[in-house]
Amino acid sequence: SEFTWIRASEIEELNDEEGILAVFQDDVTPSDIKQGLLGDCYFLSILSALTEVPTRITKLFLTDRTNEFGLYAVCIYKNGEAKEVVIDDYFPCQYEEPCFSKANGNELWVLILEKVWAKLHGSYERIEAGFAHNVMTDLTGAPAFDLDIETDGAEEVWARLESAEKKNYVMAASAGATEASAEALEALGLVAQHSYGLLKVSEITDMFGDKVKLVLLRNPWGDFEWTGDWSDKSDCWTDDIKKQCGYDDAEGLFWMSYEDVCHYFSRI
């Protein structure tokens, strides 16, 4: 196999100068999540959305500190039933570095959750591609809803998004089966067949006095962002509009008009 299994304590990039590993280090943030060679963006996009309320991540861990045995227990709600999944700290590596999800510094929580998800389904290979709403249910124990923009209608979906945000729901959006081709999406800074965390919706008044619906998304890759209207360098922004919607230009975050979301995304 081109992959080798190496213990976390023996992976150089996971160990700081003192060689101290941690499950969590400082705050739980979206920047902790870095996708590797595995096509599990649907899973990582939900992790990034869950980090908006860090306890949604930390409460999954029944073992929240590193230990000499390298064993970790996590609670997943598979099909609505709480299930304890135990893993060891051997991770698949290539060139002596983790080849699937990457750690931010020396914290392990993302690698652990990805390995737990793989174990739950039988292998890493079997978690390539999936549905974000299934991940939501399995990681929170709460019901999830899958909306098709075309079938459910743009106005109805927007109303659901506004309601969901007020209730602090976890949300995600999938780009893919739209009228745009993969190449056209890439030229605009979007990735076909890719899942994004949906963090916020906001209706603002633009510089011409018109009402515009905006959506804040996050690419779980941590980079590669939308380049059209309302992107970071767009002329649409004014200081007043940035205040209206609580603008943030952190890496991987970007705003789009809801009209463009309806055009380039298929599911919420």
Side-chain angles (χ1 to χ4, degrees), residues 136 145 147 149 153-173 197-202 213-217 256-259 261-262 265 267-268:
M136 289 177 176
F145 307 93
L147 305 176
I149 293 172
E155 287 304 314
E156 169 64 18
V157 171
W158 178 259
R160 294 280 294 273
L161 289 176
E162 286 191 308
S163 170
E165 182 177 301
K166 288 191 180 100
K167 295 171 183 172
N168 202 24
Y169 282 13
V170 182
M171 296 185 278
L198 195 162
L199 306 185
K200 192 173 183 182
V201 297
S202 183
K213 297 181 174 83
L214 296 179
V215 177
L216 179 62
L217 297 160
M256 292 178 75
S257 72
Y258 180 58
E259 186 180 351
V261 168
C262 292
F265 286 72
R267 308 189 81 75
I268 305 282

Side-chain angles (χ1 to χ4, degrees), residues 119-188:
K119 181 173 180 179
L120 198 62
H121 292 87
S123 70
Y124 280 99
E125 185 178 21
R126 290 184 65 180
I127 63 169
E128 282 228 304
F131 295 104
H133 65 285
N134 292 337
V135 180
M136 289 177 176
T137 298
D138 290 351
L139 293 187
T140 66
F145 307 93
D146 185 34
L147 305 176
D148 183 300
I149 293 172
E150 193 172 342
T151 306
D152 293 302
E155 287 304 314
E156 169 64 18
V157 171
W158 178 259
R160 294 280 294 273
L161 289 176
E162 286 191 308
S163 170
E165 182 177 301
K166 288 191 180 100
K167 295 171 183 172
N168 202 24
Y169 282 13
V170 182
M171 296 185 278
S174 297
T178 69
E179 55 198 275
S181 69
E183 292 79 12
L185 284 170
E186 190 174 335
L188 292 164

Side-chain angles (χ1 to χ4, degrees), residues 78-100:
K78 192 60 188 167
N79 300 322
E81 182 182 352
K83 185 177 180 72
E84 181 179 334
V85 183
V86 178
I87 63 157
D88 61 29
D89 68 349
Y90 282 82
F91 296 102
C93 293
Q94 198 174 42
Y95 311 116
E96 299 186 1
E97 296 177 357
C99 53
F100 299 146

